[in-house]
């Protein structure tokens, strides 16, 4: 499969975007913490619940999920906390 963009699995995680799961109250301990991180190359890594199987049969028109892609869901407050640190373009 040829794409216009490929993820670089060697790019290190460099900084959290937004506040920590503990600060947001979205953690249940050491595991299961939704989070957003910037990679050294500028890409974004998201830690959330994999709900791909729940959504695959009801995707809206124009949304496709490749065989090597997953739909990851994070709390709204996690995304909102990162908003100020995300570039506009």
């Amino acid at each position: 499969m040829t794409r216009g963009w490929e993820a670089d699995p060697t790019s290190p995680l460099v900084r959290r975007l937004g506040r920590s799961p503990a600060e947001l109250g979205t953690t249940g301990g050491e595991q299961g913490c939704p989070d957003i991180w910037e990679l050294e190359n500028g890409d974004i890594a998201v830690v959330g619940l994999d709900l791909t199987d729940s959504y695959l049969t009801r995707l809206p028109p124009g949304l496709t999920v490749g065989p090597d892609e997953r739909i990851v869901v994070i709390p709204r407050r996690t995304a909102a906390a990162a908003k100020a640190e995300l570039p506009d373009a």
Side-chain angles (χ1 to χ4, degrees):
M1 175 188 287
T2 302
R3 306 176 216 237
W5 169 83
E6 287 293 335
D8 178 0
T10 66
S11 188
L13 297 156
V14 293
R15 73 179 178 118
R16 170 180 282 118
L17 299 177
R19 298 183 307 184
S20 74
E23 291 175 287
L24 294 171
T26 57
T27 178
E30 292 297 316
Q31 295 183 1
C33 301
D35 220 337
I36 302 174
W37 281 76
E38 182 177 4
L39 304 179
E40 187 174 74
N41 68 1
D43 287 346
I44 306 298
V46 177
V47 179
L49 294 178
D50 178 357
L51 294 183
T52 307
D53 292 341
S54 298
Y55 283 99
L56 277 181
T57 61
R58 51 194 177 105
L59 297 176
L63 176 59
T64 60
V65 179
D68 61 343
E69 296 176 326
R70 309 304 293 162
I71 296 173
V72 176
V73 177
I74 60 173
R76 182 179 188 88
R77 62 182 148 187
T78 300
K83 183 179 177 184
E85 297 179 55
L86 293 170
D88 290 331

